[in-house]
């Protein structure tokens, strides 16, 4: 149980375009979902936290107008990278939590590799 | 959250136990020790967590020293599929943030 999927697994887009990444909890309802970014040979950095039905909370230094997060249901959160540029090329990973008591056991998706040309 | 210190890399032989150390000398009384791992180009995977008692599950064992300033993750019989970056994280139970450090790159060799 506790499976999280992401779609697409990889995407190539042209500079200036937008790309949407989906994160789904397949067999549980996720009160909270998280979005991370990982550059090559670096560790994961938390970008934002989203709660179903409310606005996302962004970490310091993350542009909320560039990285749009929508958490419309308990099983789906989306991250849209708007006006993507080559420096946005990265590995984007989402995770989902069952709730307050299980925040430590975040269940991670397989990640989405974004390449902006 | 308390900072953790892990060796950057280690090798171990397939079939042998792998002992991964982690120092967290500034850990607070209400902070837990969590371990995650990330296999190349995949999302992290939860392994185990504990407060002060030793813990064991189907994946690994976690040994926490009595003063809680350090811990060891033990993979009892390492396989090639255990090759990954292992992250030791300390955090308060109800704090959602996971702060990933550099971790330890573990390479299991046949």
């Amino acid at each position: 149980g506790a499976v999280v999927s992401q779609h697409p697994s990889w995407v190539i887009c042209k500079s200036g375009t937008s790309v949407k990444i989906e994160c789904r909890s397949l067999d549980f309802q996720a009160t909270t979902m998280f979005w991370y970014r990982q550059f090559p040979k670096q560790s994961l950095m938390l970008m934002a936290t989203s709660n179903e039905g409310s606005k996302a909370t962004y970490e310091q230094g993350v542009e909320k107008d560039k990285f749009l997060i929508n958490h419309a249901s308990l099983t789906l959160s989306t991250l849209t990278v708007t006006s993507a540029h080559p420096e946005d090329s990265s590995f984007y990973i989402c995770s989902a939590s069952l709730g307050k008591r299980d925040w430590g056991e975040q269940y991670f998706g397989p990640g989405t590799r974004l390449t902006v040309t | 959250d308390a900072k953790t210190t892990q060796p950057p890399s280690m090798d171990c032989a397939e079939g042998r136990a792998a002992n991964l150390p982690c120092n967290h000398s500034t850990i607070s009384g209400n902070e837990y020790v969590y371990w995650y791992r990330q296999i190349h180009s995949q999302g992290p995977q939860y392994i185990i967590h504990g407060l002060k008692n030793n813990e064991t599950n189907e994946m690994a064992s976690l040994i926490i020293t009595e003063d809680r300033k350090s811990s060891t993750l033990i993979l009892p019989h390492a396989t090639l599929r255990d090759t990954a970056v292992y992250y030791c994280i300390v955090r308060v139970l109800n704090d959602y943030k996971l702060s990933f450090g550099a971790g330890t790159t573990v390479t299991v060799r046949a």
Side-chain angles (χ1 to χ4, degrees):
Chain A
V3 178
V4 176
S5 70
Q6 283 184 241
H7 178 79
S9 54
W10 59 271
V11 58
I12 301 172
C13 70
K14 291 188 176 181
S15 187
T17 62
S18 296
V19 61
K20 179 186 286 187
I21 302 169
E22 293 186 349
C23 175
R24 295 182 184 271
S25 55
L26 298 184
D27 51 1
F28 67 101
Q29 293 186 327
T31 307
T32 305
M33 288 185 170
F34 308 88
W35 287 95
Y36 295 81
R37 180 168 54 182
Q38 185 175 33
F39 292 108
K41 300 198 176 184
Q42 293 187 25
S43 194
L44 284 80
M45 294 297 295
L46 179 65
M47 299 175 66
T49 304
S50 72
N51 292 294
E52 184 263 340
S54 61
K55 289 184 178 180
T57 301
Y58 291 81
E59 295 299 300
Q60 192 171 11
V62 178
E63 300 174 59
K64 62 180 181 181
D65 294 331
K66 180 170 182 62
F67 299 98
L68 302 180
I69 292 172
N70 182 276
H71 193 160
S73 76
L74 287 172
T75 60
L76 173 65
S77 176
T78 61
L79 168 68
T80 301
V81 183
T82 63
S83 187
H85 288 96
E87 56 265 31
D88 298 323
S89 297
S90 188
F91 192 48
Y92 291 86
I93 306 168
C94 73
S95 70
S97 168
L98 289 169
K100 270 194 173 184
R101 298 173 72 180
D102 291 287
W103 267 334
E105 293 183 38
Q106 289 183 25
Y107 302 96
F108 286 82
T112 296
R113 177 84 52 197
L114 169 64
T115 301
V116 184
T117 61
Chain B
D1 288 346
K3 287 188 175 179
T4 62
T5 303
Q6 298 178 252
S9 65
M10 62 183 295
D11 287 1
C12 65
E14 188 179 20
R16 304 292 294 271
N19 297 313
L20 284 62
C22 179
N23 286 322
H24 31 80
S25 59
T26 59
I27 192 171
S28 301
N30 62 345
E31 287 183 311
Y32 286 67
V33 179
Y34 286 82
W35 283 84
Y36 281 78
R37 73 179 182 183
Q38 185 179 24
I39 295 171
H40 183 62
S41 293
Q42 295 184 25
Q45 177 188 22
Y46 165 83
I47 301 174
I48 199 167
H49 76 280
L51 180 63
K52 54 183 179 182
N53 298 319
N54 298 337
E55 302 287 345
T56 295
N57 62 21
E58 64 278 3
M59 287 185 68
S61 294
L62 174 60
I63 308 297
I64 303 174
T65 58
E66 193 168 342
D67 63 7
R68 303 209 322 123
K69 293 185 176 181
S70 66
S71 61
T72 300
L73 178 75
I74 301 173
L75 308 178
H77 304 286
T79 71
L80 299 179
R81 285 176 290 186
D82 292 321
T83 292
V85 179
Y86 287 76
Y87 298 99
C88 170
I89 301 170
V90 293
R91 55 189 284 279
V92 177
L93 183 64
N94 289 331
D95 181 1
Y96 62 84
K97 288 192 177 184
L98 287 175
S99 296
F100 288 86
T104 297
T105 299
V106 174
T107 303
V108 181
R109 303 191 186 277

